[in-house]
Amino acid sequence: MTSFGFLVKTYSGLSLGKIQSGSLPDSIFLVVILAPFLETIFIQYIPYTMIVKRRNIKTEKPAYLAVSSVLFGLIHWYHIYFVIVTIIGGFFLSNRFFQVSIKRNELAAIISIFTIHAVSNLISTFMIKLGL
C-alpha cells in the first residue's frame, strides 16, 4: 500500500473510492492527468502570479511557498495527518515551481511540476490498484 493509501485508511477510515473501484483508464485520467494539471495551475501558477510576479520576487518567496503549500494540503483533505504530509509535499512542489520560473519561465515550471506530480500519482495509482 502506498503512503497515500496507508494514510487515508489509517487516519480517516475512508476507502480510496474511485481509485480502487474505478477502471484503470478512469483512474489514470483523473488522478494522473487531470488532477496534477489543475492543481499545478490553481495551486502553484495562480498564487505565483498573484503573490510573486506582482511584487518583489525575493521578498515574496516565503509568502508564496506558505500559501501554495497550505492550499495543496487543504485540497487533499482526508484527515489532518494527510493534510500535514501533503503540505510538506506541496512545499517541495511549490519551491520547484518557483525555482524553474526564475531560472527558465513559467511554462517550463508548469510542465516540470505537472510531470513530477503526474509520475508520483501514476506510481501511487498502480500501487493502490495492485494492493501494495
Side-chain angles (χ1 to χ4, degrees), residues 41-52 64 67-68 71:
I41 298 302
F42 289 104
I43 305 301
Q44 279 91 29
Y45 174 71
I46 291 175
Y48 178 83
T49 58
M50 292 176 69
I51 296 169
V52 176
Y64 163 70
V67 167
S68 183
L71 286 173

Side-chain angles (χ1 to χ4, degrees), residues 4 12 30 35 49 53 65 74 80 87 91 107 113-114 131-132:
F4 169 78
S12 72
L30 291 172
T49 58
K53 273 188 85 172
L65 292 177
L74 291 176
I80 188 64
I87 286 173
F91 174 83
L107 179 59
I113 297 309
F114 168 78
L132 302 174

Side-chain angles (χ1 to χ4, degrees), residues 8-128:
V8 172
K9 281 189 170 187
T10 302
Y11 295 112
S12 72
L14 297 173
S15 73
L16 297 173
K18 290 197 180 248
I19 297 171
Q20 274 184 332
S21 63
S23 70
L24 186 59
D26 288 346
S27 295
I28 288 175
F29 175 72
L30 291 172
V31 177
V32 178
I33 298 170
L34 187 61
F37 176 74
L38 293 175
E39 290 173 18
T40 300
I41 298 302
F42 289 104
I43 305 301
Q44 279 91 29
Y45 174 71
I46 291 175
Y48 178 83
T49 58
M50 292 176 69
I51 296 169
V52 176
K53 273 188 85 172
R54 295 182 186 207
R55 296 189 168 101
N56 183 322
I57 288 176
K58 291 183 178 154
T59 61
E60 298 302 329
K61 181 179 180 182
Y64 163 70
L65 292 177
V67 167
S68 183
S69 300
V70 169
L71 286 173
F72 190 77
L74 291 176
I75 65 164
H76 293 90
W77 185 268
Y78 303 105
H79 189 276
I80 188 64
Y81 299 118
F82 194 74
V83 171
I84 292 167
V85 169
T86 54
I87 286 173
I88 295 166
F91 174 83
F92 289 109
L93 291 174
S94 299
N95 193 46
R96 176 74 177 158
F97 187 93
F98 185 90
Q99 291 173 344
V100 174
S101 292
I102 299 302
K103 290 181 181 177
R104 297 196 63 201
N105 59 54
E106 291 158 18
L107 179 59
I110 289 169
I111 293 168
S112 173
I113 297 309
F114 168 78
T115 303
I116 292 167
H117 195 168
V119 168
S120 174
N121 285 4
L122 179 65
I123 292 167
S124 295
T125 299
F126 279 118
M127 291 180 80
I128 290 167

